[in-house]
Amino acid sequence: MSLLIRTGGKISDLCYFWVMYDRFLQFIKKHALIDPGDRILVGVSGGVDSMTLLHLLKKSGYPLVVAHCNFQLRGEEANRDEDLVRNYCRKESITFEVQRFQTKAYSQQKGISTQMAARELRYEWFKMLRITHNCQKVAIAHHLDDSIETFFLNLARGTSLKGLRGIAPCNREVIRPLLEFTKEELIEFATATGIEWREDASNAESYYKRNLIRHQLIPIMHQLNPDFTGVMAQNLQKLSARYYTSERLYDGWRSEFIKTDTNGFHLSKKAVLSVCQSAYDLYELLRDFSFNYATCQQLFDCLQENTEAGKVFLSASHRLVIDREDLLIVNDSNAEVLPQVVMENTGSFKVNGVGYTVRLCSAGQVALDKASENAMLDFERLRFPLHLRPWKMGDSFAPLGMKGKRKLVSDFLIDAKVPLSEKGKVMVLESKGEIAWLVGFRISEHFKLSTQTTSIWYARKESASH
């Protein structure tokens, strides 16, 4: 909805300014974007959005520092953008900072898109400038159209309620005072008040996902509803309000149910099921541990089905195990499953950095080694090559001394009181799919030495004494 419509038709240039200025100040006050005495770093590209933001902040009397990024992607056009912003700051006696980035080289070095490279370079530089110039806030010229586009980008990628809010007015020190205004309003205001700006020709091209939404999807939505922008503004307000309400709820849950001890975090299965009505609730409850929604859906299903203790779920940073009464969570930088290692019948191997030496011995050549950290197996019963891998849910074996009875590895580790932080590191040695040794704990009854054994496969920790 344009400024003309909101103010009831044709109005004077002066009225343009005061209506816009009043809405600008009210938005800052409503969202507490700027405190008295704040010094503001303003990101200014030279486009209509940032030049209007700069103009309004200047007229509001805030102490300013202007930062202009020249990404050197548009040749002489980019240099003219730089000149425009520099000349404005010189005329208005505003401190001006400029940085010329090697954006293409950076994107190639990092293996990321040019857009992402520009974003990283820009915000890292802004962070440095904010400290250098003692600025409390960094003002960015995102507007309502940007927020609507972000909504659709997040929707297409998959997101939580947080992502459906569009762009937030404030994110720590970064503020966006123009989020109430449409692009059309900014152009009308700049035109009416004589603000000079430069048009970025790349905005008219649909090279990027955001521009696909801007130039193809949004026009279709306006065909469906001429007041689409106004409706979306209301939708984003409602979603944002709902998000903050739910955040208070989830913050309360996290504080109440997630407990910390020396081994990590734990929360009661009963408590989780009492409050979580869906996988999404569980996803939000566990948000600090980086579990994605698909994993939380699997975990929620297991909790509802009362799955047996021992099942493990991995995130990029943590490992969660379903215990008898609780969910146990530990920080696990090695949460990804380790690669399988194929072993020969002699040689050496490592488990979690610990070296083992393998040799073949004749029965009676060496004394029986009963240490759990070492293994003496009947060579004739083994089938090579042997496979060394992390244990997984469902693994079972016949522990030595149990007279052939099988036991789940998960249950064995629980009974052995292995700390949760160590369980994920446990490895098994397989012979043709059968676990011959739970490394460091127990060999299998099926591969133990007997009176018929003639050759011994002997794996010993390299630190062990001969």
Side-chain angles (χ1 to χ4, degrees):
M1 184 181 296
S2 73
L3 187 64
L4 283 173
I5 296 174
R6 291 188 184 188
T7 54
K10 184 65 176 178
I11 51 180
S12 68
D13 292 352
L14 182 61
C15 190
Y16 257 105
F17 173 78
W18 286 112
V19 171
M20 186 82 160
Y21 183 61
D22 182 64
R23 289 174 58 199
F24 178 74
L25 294 180
Q26 289 302 317
F27 187 84
I28 290 174
K29 180 179 179 181
K30 176 181 178 181
H31 296 281
L33 300 184
I34 303 174
D35 297 321
D38 278 354
R39 186 177 178 86
I40 304 170
L41 178 70
V42 194
V44 183
S45 66
V48 65
D49 314 334
S50 60
M51 291 302 293
T52 298
L53 174 62
L54 176 58
H55 183 80
L56 288 169
L57 287 170
K58 173 64 179 174
K59 294 300 182 183
S60 301
Y62 297 113
L64 306 176
V65 175
V66 166
H68 176 79
C69 300
N70 187 335
F71 297 109
Q72 303 192 87
L73 297 173
R74 298 168 43 245
E76 188 56 35
E77 289 296 311
N79 296 334
R80 289 172 182 164
D81 293 345
E82 179 183 322
D83 290 340
L84 170 69
V85 182
R86 177 185 285 105
N87 291 336
Y88 181 96
C89 292
R90 183 183 294 119
K91 177 182 176 183
E92 298 293 338
S93 301
I94 300 172
T95 301
F96 175 72
E97 293 278 4
V98 62
Q99 182 69 42
R100 295 192 172 194
F101 295 104
Q102 301 297 325
T103 312
K104 287 187 177 179
Y106 182 86
S107 69
Q108 292 171 358
Q109 176 189 348
K110 293 285 187 175
I112 57 179
S113 69
T114 303
Q115 270 194 326
M116 184 58 68
R119 176 183 171 81
E120 288 186 6
L121 290 167
R122 175 172 64 248
Y123 280 102
E124 193 62 32
W125 185 52
F126 285 176
K127 185 187 301 183
M128 183 193 72
L129 285 179
R130 188 175 67 85
I131 296 171
T132 301
H133 289 281
N134 191 30
C135 295
Q136 288 68 48
K137 302 292 169 58
V138 178
I140 305 296
H142 288 132
H143 48 74
L144 180 57
D145 294 37
D146 292 324
S147 191
I148 293 172
E149 291 163 10
T150 297
F151 167 89
F152 283 105
L153 272 176
N154 291 340
L155 185 66
R157 292 167 178 162
T159 186
S160 63
L161 185 58
K162 181 179 181 180
L164 295 179
R165 299 175 303 153
I167 300 175
C170 181
N171 182 11
R172 296 180 181 177
E173 70 277 356
V174 177
I175 61 173
R176 301 175 176 90
L178 296 183
L179 277 183
E180 182 177 282
F181 303 102
T182 66
K183 180 79 167 188
E184 181 184 2
E185 287 177 322
L186 298 179
I187 293 173
E188 287 180 352
F189 176 77
T191 301
T193 53
I195 297 174
E196 187 179 358
W197 80 88
R198 285 182 53 78
E199 190 66 44
D200 182 353
S202 65
N203 285 336
E205 302 169 350
S206 297
Y207 288 160
Y208 304 111
K209 292 179 181 180
R210 183 175 291 276
N211 278 352
L212 287 173
I213 292 172
R214 179 179 306 163
H215 298 300
Q216 297 186 30
L217 177 61
I218 299 299
I220 292 174
M221 301 304 291
H222 276 286
Q223 290 178 25
L224 293 173
N225 182 357
D227 191 30
F228 170 73
T229 300
V231 169
M232 276 302 301
Q234 294 177 1
N235 288 338
L236 294 177
Q237 290 173 6
K238 289 184 283 188
L239 287 166
S240 183
R242 177 55 183 155
Y243 166 74
Y244 288 115
T245 299
S246 67
E247 272 299 278
R248 289 192 291 271
L249 173 66
Y250 292 131
D251 283 345
W253 286 4
R254 286 188 283 268
S255 175
E256 180 178 357
F257 299 123
I258 299 178
K259 309 300 180 183
T260 306
D261 58 30
T262 55
N263 291 324
F265 305 88
H266 61 92
L267 57 161
S268 162
K269 289 162 60 176
K270 183 177 180 181
V272 170
L273 288 171
S274 69
V275 297
C276 293
Q277 302 301 309
S278 66
Y280 182 77
D281 286 339
L282 185 59
Y283 168 75
E284 289 289 357
L285 179 62
L286 300 177
R287 187 176 64 195
D288 293 341
F289 305 111
S290 304
F291 289 95
N292 62 35
Y293 181 76
T295 300
C296 290
Q297 180 69 67
Q298 296 171 8
L299 174 57
F300 186 73
D301 292 342
C302 286
L303 292 176
Q304 289 192 312
E305 295 165 4
N306 197 25
T307 299
E308 290 185 8
K311 192 167 180 61
V312 179
F313 297 84
L314 302 177
S315 76
S317 59
H318 289 77
R319 180 182 298 270
L320 182 150
V321 179
I322 298 179
D323 202 0
R324 290 185 173 88
E325 302 295 335
D326 294 329
L327 301 181
L328 309 177
I329 307 172
V330 293
N331 188 296
D332 188 358
S333 59
N334 298 314
E336 295 296 327
V337 176
L338 298 174
Q340 180 172 293
V341 178
V342 179
M343 295 176 50
E344 299 297 334
N345 58 348
T346 59
S348 63
F349 63 95
K350 285 188 175 182
V351 174
N352 298 314
V354 177
Y356 285 82
T357 300
V358 177
R359 63 187 175 117
L360 294 181
C361 308
S362 298
Q365 181 182 348
V366 293
L368 181 64
D369 187 343
K370 295 183 178 180
S372 61
E373 61 188 7
N374 300 327
M376 300 185 83
L377 306 176
D378 189 326
F379 179 76
E380 299 299 329
R381 296 188 180 189
L382 296 172
R383 296 294 179 266
F384 294 91
L386 304 178
H387 295 81
L388 184 67
R389 63 166 177 81
W391 75 280
K392 61 180 184 291
M393 290 308 303
D395 278 343
S396 67
F397 76 126
L400 179 67
M402 291 189 63
K403 298 181 179 179
K405 293 183 180 179
R406 300 190 70 82
K407 189 178 185 71
L408 288 170
V409 171
S410 57
D411 289 342
F412 182 94
L413 297 176
I414 290 173
D415 293 343
K417 302 188 186 309
V418 178
L420 179 61
S421 58
E422 298 299 315
K423 285 183 180 179
K425 302 176 183 178
V426 175
M427 307 286 281
V428 297
L429 183 73
E430 280 187 329
S431 170
K432 205 174 181 179
E434 176 70 18
I435 295 176
W437 181 26
L438 185 61
V439 180
F441 292 93
R442 192 79 60 87
I443 66 170
S444 168
E445 181 81 15
H446 296 161
F447 296 88
K448 71 178 182 179
L449 306 184
S450 69
T451 55
Q452 285 75 43
T453 300
T454 58
S455 298
I456 301 172
W457 185 89
Y458 187 13
R460 181 176 54 196
K461 278 183 66 174
E462 292 177 349
S463 59
S465 60
H466 290 263

